[in-house]
Amino acid sequence: MTHGGGRAARTNLLVVSSDTHQCFGDFTGRAQGDDGTWVDLDGLTGWAEEARNRW
């Protein structure tokens, strides 16, 4: 992934909390589907994130 920006947010209200990190950008390369076919991802915009929430 070519990094195009990011975001981080954290909230802690004792009983309820969240901690989120997000990365935005453009994918490069390819992915293989369950049926074995390859899908080209070059130029596809997307994101990846890690989130921890307590409700």
Side-chain angles (χ1 to χ4, degrees), residues 3-11 18-25 47-51 53:
H3 190 264
R7 177 182 179 276
R10 179 178 287 176
T11 302
S18 70
D19 186 11
T20 305
H21 300 270
Q22 299 171 319
C23 176
F24 304 93
W47 73 92
E49 76 175 10
E50 177 182 0
N53 299 303

Side-chain angles (χ1 to χ4, degrees), residues 3-54:
H3 190 264
R7 177 182 179 276
R10 179 178 287 176
T11 302
N12 187 354
L13 301 175
L14 299 178
V15 177
V16 176
S17 67
S18 70
D19 186 11
T20 305
H21 300 270
Q22 299 171 319
C23 176
F24 304 93
D26 296 321
F27 287 102
T28 57
R30 60 187 187 153
Q32 189 173 25
D34 291 337
D35 62 358
T37 59
W38 288 94
V39 178
D40 190 19
L41 302 178
D42 289 340
L44 183 66
T45 301
W47 73 92
E49 76 175 10
E50 177 182 0
R52 297 178 185 190
N53 299 303
R54 183 176 64 206

